[in-house]
Amino acid sequence: MEVNHMALARRAERLEVRTTSAQKHLIERAAELRGTSVTDFVVSNIQAAAAETVREFESLFLRDEAREVFVKTLLHPPEPNEALKAAATRHKQMER
């Protein structure tokens, strides 16, 4: 019980939602089946959904950013450095 008390003591913000009667009963039943309070059930599930949404958005954003870097590199390739020039020379020699 002490752990739950500490978790509740840290909660400083309030979030209110309106549901239909059917939604409320379903949530209450799910919380009961999990052996937890409605508040803990709702907060846990909303937090998990929020974290997943943020991960998905950040993943898509990073993919867009990577695609942009890739396209810019294709359109404006950098000049070959010495290592690349040496590799090309070795490759040409191997073809002979």
Side-chain angles (χ1 to χ4, degrees):
M1 279 297 188
E2 191 62 34
V3 174
N4 287 340
H5 176 69
M6 291 172 59
L8 291 174
R10 288 186 293 229
R11 292 182 181 163
E13 300 293 326
R14 184 170 189 85
L15 179 66
E16 295 184 35
V17 296
R18 297 223 178 259
T19 65
T20 65
S21 180
Q23 288 171 325
K24 181 180 179 193
H25 290 301
L26 179 63
I27 293 166
E28 288 171 336
R29 178 71 176 130
E32 180 184 333
L33 290 170
R34 292 278 183 189
T36 187
S37 70
V38 169
T39 297
D40 287 344
F41 180 83
V42 169
V43 168
S44 173
N45 284 282
I46 289 174
Q47 184 175 354
E52 180 62 22
T53 299
V54 169
R55 271 193 300 277
E56 287 175 7
F57 177 82
E58 288 176 348
S59 175
L60 291 173
F61 177 77
L62 290 175
R63 282 190 217 139
D64 287 345
E65 192 175 79
R67 183 178 58 237
E68 185 176 326
V69 168
F70 178 74
V71 170
K72 282 182 180 179
T73 303
L74 285 177
L75 295 175
H76 309 287
E79 291 296 318
N81 62 19
E82 293 306 313
L84 182 58
K85 290 176 185 176
T89 301
R90 284 192 308 274
H91 179 71
K92 285 179 184 177
Q93 290 172 349
M94 291 174 64
E95 287 181 336
R96 293 181 190 168

